Amino acid sequence: MPQRPDTFRPPGWKPAPAKQPQAHDPFYGSAIWKALRSKAKQRDGFQCVGLPDRPCRTPNNGRGGRLIVDHIDPRREGGSDELSNLRTLCPACDNRRHGRRG
């Protein structure tokens, strides 16, 4: 079986740095967050609720697809983890909310 050639790495090459610690909060891997996320999705009918200024344009409001549970008031700005501060968004609405390219 042929072998892969060695990967070329120029002098001084270093691997990309790992995720910055502040970019990932361990809370999001906890059982408490998973239970809250499940309750929020169930409350919202397992579909995107859209944003206050723009309704969701995803077909069928993202029902049956990937859904993201979002904090209305972000945790880093003092928002709570209560169910009333959570909403279910499709990836397109989440990208519009956070200003990332989708």
Side-chain angles (χ1 to χ4, degrees):
M1 205 185 259
Q3 292 201 356
R4 250 173 90 176
D6 291 337
T7 303
F8 173 73
R9 303 225 196 290
W13 179 88
K14 288 189 262 181
K19 255 188 181 179
Q20 297 175 357
Q22 72 271 18
H24 178 71
D25 188 343
F27 170 73
Y28 293 113
S30 71
I32 295 168
W33 171 247
K34 290 176 183 179
L36 279 170
R37 187 177 64 193
S38 178
K39 287 178 186 176
K41 286 180 182 180
Q42 188 173 13
R43 178 200 61 201
D44 295 336
F46 296 96
Q47 62 186 6
C48 178
V49 296
L51 301 172
D53 55 340
R54 295 183 230 161
C56 181
R57 293 180 287 176
T58 303
N60 208 14
N61 284 358
R63 189 175 195 93
R66 181 172 173 254
L67 295 171
I68 299 159
V69 175
D70 176 58
H71 283 83
I72 297 167
D73 295 322
R75 291 182 84 218
R76 68 180 167 273
E77 295 174 10
S80 71
D81 293 321
E82 294 179 18
L83 203 54
S84 60
N85 189 38
L86 300 175
R87 64 179 164 202
T88 306
L89 297 176
C90 65
C93 289
D94 187 54
N95 287 342
R96 281 190 288 167
R97 169 167 162 50
H98 294 291
R100 295 182 295 227
R101 295 178 75 187

